[in-house]
Amino acid sequence: MNFIATYLIQVLAVLGLVLLAIEVLVLGISTFVLLFVGLGLLLTSLSMYLEWIPATWQWALIGTTLFTLLTGAVLWPIMKRAQQTPEHSVVKSDLIGHSFVLPEDVAPDIRVIYRFMGVEWRLVTSEPIAKDTLVEVVNLQVGELFIKAKDPA
């Protein structure tokens, strides 16, 4: 117990770093509780080191509590916003509506690669389309062109 009392500032800093390491490395910043407490311990240790508050266990408890609540109040909205899933927007591209003749047969279960402007695209269709058919790009995702047979009009 004398060791903790003698090296209180260092013990608080190490404990804060251990909690932060557990939160980041083990839990992947998923709970935030250990993050806030770890930051509270580090801020309390810093405050004691700078002699803003006395280096006693009572002030360590008070400081850790207050700094934990403060960091929680400040960081909670930021962390909550960071965890929200982004909105998926519809892709707008000049390739949508592009027509070309199929170099080989395409089907939902057949993987076909089409090289266009130096990029290899995987052709995706919901129905089989024969070779030499005029097709049109109806949608796209990263590395994939969604195609359908173009109506001869």
Side-chain angles (χ1 to χ4, degrees):
M1 192 68 172
N2 281 339
F3 177 80
I4 294 175
T6 305
Y7 298 103
L8 182 63
I9 296 171
Q10 293 85 353
V11 169
L12 292 176
V14 168
L15 187 58
L17 290 173
V18 167
L19 290 180
L20 288 176
I22 292 170
E23 176 70 28
V24 172
L25 299 175
V26 176
L27 301 175
I29 310 178
S30 61
T31 62
F32 301 141
V33 174
L34 296 180
L35 177 73
F36 298 148
V37 175
L39 289 173
L41 285 166
L42 286 174
L43 289 172
T44 302
S45 175
L46 179 66
S47 297
M48 288 180 174
Y49 178 76
L50 296 174
E51 297 180 356
W52 292 344
I53 59 176
T56 64
W57 68 269
Q58 291 92 347
W59 277 102
L61 185 62
I62 292 169
T64 301
T65 303
L66 292 177
F67 283 127
T68 299
L69 293 174
L70 179 67
T71 57
V74 170
L75 294 178
W76 180 257
I78 297 168
M79 299 292 189
K80 189 172 181 181
R81 203 171 326 123
Q83 281 193 332
Q84 290 177 348
T85 56
E87 292 181 18
H88 292 286
S89 59
V90 177
V91 177
K92 296 179 182 174
S93 172
D94 294 338
L95 284 177
I96 295 177
H98 171 70
S99 299
F100 61 94
V101 177
L102 278 179
E104 56 186 284
D105 292 343
V106 177
D109 58 341
I110 299 174
R111 183 181 174 98
V112 176
I113 302 297
Y114 175 69
R115 190 166 181 84
F116 179 69
M117 295 190 65
V119 178
E120 290 186 352
W121 298 87
R122 183 174 156 256
L123 299 179
V124 180
T125 182
S126 59
E127 56 191 31
I129 305 174
K131 177 181 177 180
D132 296 327
T133 304
L134 184 64
V135 294
E136 175 181 29
V137 177
V138 293
N139 197 0
L140 65 108
Q141 290 182 359
V142 177
E144 295 180 329
L145 293 177
F146 293 83
I147 59 170
K148 70 173 185 174
K150 190 169 183 179
D151 295 329

